[in-house]
Amino acid sequence: MFSRILIANRGEIAVRIIRAARELGIETVAVYSTADKESAHVRLADQAICIGSPAPADSYLNIPRIISAAEVANVDAIHPGYGFLAENAHFAEVCRSCRIEFIGPSVESMKLLGDKVACKQLAIRNKVPTAPGSKGSVSDEDQALKVARDIGYPVIIKAAAGGGGRGMRVAHNDISLRAGMLQAMAEAEGAFGDATIYIEKFLEKARHVEVQVLGDQHGNLVHLFERDCTMQRRHQKLIEETPCPVLDEDHRQELCKAAVRLAKAAGYFSAGTVEFLMDAQQRFYLMEVNTRVQVEHPVTELLTGVDIVKTQILVAAGEKLPFGQGDIMWDGHAIEVRINAVDPENHFAPCPGRIELFDPPGGPGVRVDTHSYSGYKVPPNYDSMIAKLIAHQPTRQQAIATLRRALAEFRVSPIKTTIPLHAELMRNGSFLANDVDIHFVERLLENKSS
Ligand code: ADP
């Protein structure tokens, strides 16, 4: 087992990893940028090393500085969290060539699954359903127009290297396809240094349903059931829950087995997420595989009782999964809401700055994952998420009641947050009745502002 690990991340996920490591008896080393000197992850770790200035390229994305910190601190392994370098196969390769274990899957499976075009082709070979679309990447306009006419508009143009909703454009006709293709390519080139794009049918009334998988380096791999992340804004998740409230048992089995099939075909180990879109008939189509721990992992932890972060660490150290598929049970219903420092009344404009009062809720059925506290200054340089509030109760209705109560208790001032928006969504008739799709929140917000 490892005796010391470095966490190459910040914010709530760094805190989450430090807690998991400490409970396993592993020492932790935090890294931080000058903007994060006051962050809770710096205080909670056994040791903290400043790696540079606030710009991510100078700190959390700077591989040489992170490796130097790891060497100075003499760590056995690095946990990358999510975002930043978590899905960077080159970083995983550098870690391992420096004899530092990368807490994640193999470089080969990261490369294979991280390329969405290659991933889709692997899915097709393994009879995992995918949305109709281009066979591989699309490089010129004529080819794009032909694919779009074959599958029918609307279509979505997506970046092969995509992530965080970047490099995506929806096209409803030839004209918007031409324009969208150029924009998507430019955005993908800028964000990922790779302009490769592909096209698929744009599913209008879909739900986002994803399957958590967890594997070890001895060929064992299980699923931890699904999460529903249909409540999104601009392809960014706002609310995540498990189980998916509209999925019947036969389709659940089919979906989870497909996810396991794909992960096994990629020789996957560690924690991963296989993301699908699901239509009203519960037909599902693969979107992508995320080769890391997800923001929304806590709902699965509460539902199944499996500690995903600890298991990631154990399997990275070469241990076998301590359970088989038959041991994984689920109980009740869990829902997470993301609390971001943005103003929902003003186009979700970021609201960085000092939090004078941070008073999170507690009580039965409530979990709060956060790095924030009273006096904490939210830096303007990073993702705006300041906390995750998660409720776990025997039924969905009870989990929603707990979230309503917890959101009413949650006091954050003076900065604006998504707390009032979540309080409203927890009373929204369509959300309560499960009558939503991935565009629901955007339609709701548009109607409010018009
Ligand atoms: P990223 O890696 O950038 O997050 P994803 O492939 O996971 O990209 O897609 C993010 C979101 O984009 C999905 O949750 C969904 O809302 C939307 N999306 C992606 N593909 C489609 C599609 N074929 N039809 C409709 N919406 C889609």
Side-chain angles (χ1 to χ4, degrees):
M1 180 39 65
F2 305 131
S3 51
R4 189 179 301 136
I5 66 170
L6 180 140
I7 296 100
N9 214 301
R10 62 178 301 281
E12 69 83 22
I13 194 65
V15 170
R16 170 74 187 88
I17 298 161
I18 291 168
R19 287 178 171 153
R22 182 152 295 156
E23 288 179 18
L24 290 172
I26 299 170
E27 282 179 34
T28 53
V29 179
V31 291
Y32 64 99
S33 76
T34 49
D36 275 338
K37 218 164 40 203
E38 309 286 318
S39 182
H41 81 279
V42 174
R43 186 163 34 87
L44 286 176
D46 295 301
Q47 191 183 338
I49 300 175
C50 182
I51 51 166
S53 49
D58 297 329
S59 47
Y60 300 107
L61 286 176
N62 192 302
I63 296 176
R65 290 191 190 163
I66 291 170
I67 296 291
S68 302
E71 284 177 338
V72 167
N74 194 22
V75 300
D76 307 309
I78 296 184
H79 196 307
Y82 53 67
F84 295 122
L85 296 168
E87 291 180 278
N88 185 318
H90 170 64
F91 178 58
E93 222 160 12
V94 173
C95 289
R96 290 184 181 141
S97 68
C98 296
R99 298 187 172 279
I100 299 167
E101 193 48 57
F102 173 82
I103 301 177
S106 71
V107 170
E108 294 70 33
S109 37
M110 283 175 86
K111 281 187 181 158
L112 177 60
L113 299 172
D115 177 341
K116 292 190 187 187
V117 172
C119 176
K120 208 169 162 178
Q121 286 166 342
L122 182 71
I124 294 169
R125 285 202 299 279
N126 287 278
K127 302 201 164 32
V128 173
T130 59
S134 52
K135 294 262 176 306
S137 60
V138 168
S139 49
D140 66 72
E141 255 184 33
D142 290 344
Q143 198 190 352
L145 290 170
K146 183 172 181 319
V147 172
R149 285 176 193 153
D150 283 351
I151 60 177
Y153 286 104
V155 300
I156 184 164
I157 307 154
K158 300 170 73 171
R166 283 167 304 175
M168 263 191 290
R169 287 288 182 285
V170 179
H172 293 270
N173 50 48
D174 289 1
I175 297 168
S176 60
L177 178 67
R178 282 200 185 92
M181 201 176 146
L182 294 177
Q183 289 165 348
M185 286 170 83
E187 201 172 303
E189 176 68 45
F192 317 110
D194 176 0
T196 312
I197 52 151
Y198 64 105
I199 292 177
E200 63 187 31
K201 180 85 186 160
F202 181 68
L203 303 167
E204 287 176 275
K205 284 264 172 202
R207 295 183 74 106
H208 173 120
V209 184
E210 60 184 33
V211 179
Q212 174 75 56
V213 296
L214 203 47
D216 63 23
Q217 301 186 51
H218 306 275
N220 305 302
L221 186 122
V222 300
H223 69 78
L224 301 181
F225 301 98
E226 81 284 359
R227 292 184 286 259
D228 185 309
C229 313
T230 302
M231 298 291 277
Q232 316 181 337
R233 173 182 173 269
R234 299 206 176 154
H235 309 309
Q236 303 273 3
K237 296 160 188 166
L238 291 173
I239 300 174
E240 302 101 342
E241 62 184 299
T242 181
C244 167
V246 298
L247 190 63
D248 64 43
E249 197 46 41
D250 286 351
H251 285 97
R252 169 170 299 118
Q253 288 303 327
E254 209 185 305
L255 177 81
C256 294
K257 281 185 182 153
V260 167
R261 218 162 44 238
L262 182 61
K264 283 193 170 166
Y268 202 82
F269 59 84
S270 193
T273 299
V274 187
E275 296 193 333
F276 297 92
L277 286 176
M278 186 174 84
D279 68 16
Q281 286 72 46
Q282 304 194 18
R283 282 182 300 227
F284 50 87
Y285 308 92
L286 174 83
M287 256 190 307
E288 65 164 335
V289 181
N290 289 317
T291 58
R292 53 167 162 81
V293 68
Q294 301 271 95
V295 173
E296 58 272 24
H297 76 276
V299 289
T300 302
E301 293 189 325
L302 292 171
L303 203 80
T304 60
V306 172
D307 189 311
I308 294 172
V309 179
K310 278 187 193 163
T311 313
Q312 272 190 304
I313 298 174
L314 294 174
V315 300
E319 293 200 9
K320 284 191 174 157
L321 279 187
F323 39 70
Q325 190 65 63
D327 303 316
I328 312 286
M329 302 293 159
W330 58 272
D331 177 35
H333 199 96
I335 309 180
E336 169 179 285
V337 298
R338 299 189 186 190
I339 314 289
N340 286 65
V342 297
D343 183 0
E345 299 288 319
N346 180 24
H347 310 286
F348 290 74
C351 290
R354 190 166 303 279
I355 305 178
E356 302 296 345
L357 178 72
F358 184 85
D359 192 4
V366 172
R367 166 170 165 181
V368 179
D369 280 19
T370 184
H371 58 293
S372 307
Y373 54 87
S374 293
Y376 173 64
K377 200 167 160 199
V378 181
N381 318 80
Y382 311 109
D383 183 88
S384 62
M385 194 169 74
I386 55 166
K388 305 188 303 206
L389 168 61
I390 312 114
H392 180 215
Q393 290 292 7
T395 66
R396 181 173 196 260
Q397 213 179 357
Q398 287 166 310
I400 290 171
T402 297
L403 276 179
R404 283 187 196 144
R405 182 274 288 173
L407 285 160
E409 281 176 24
F410 209 149
R411 290 189 300 166
V412 182
S413 68
I415 63 164
K416 298 264 194 268
T417 72
T418 47
I419 291 174
L421 172 70
H422 286 305
E424 195 183 315
L425 291 173
M426 289 302 139
R427 289 183 168 73
N428 180 283
S430 303
F431 175 69
L432 298 181
N434 297 315
D435 183 19
V436 296
D437 59 64
I438 45 179
H439 308 293
F440 168 76
V441 176
E442 266 163 44
R443 285 196 302 270
L444 184 79
L445 294 171
E446 269 165 35
N447 291 341
K448 261 175 66 171
S449 63
S450 62

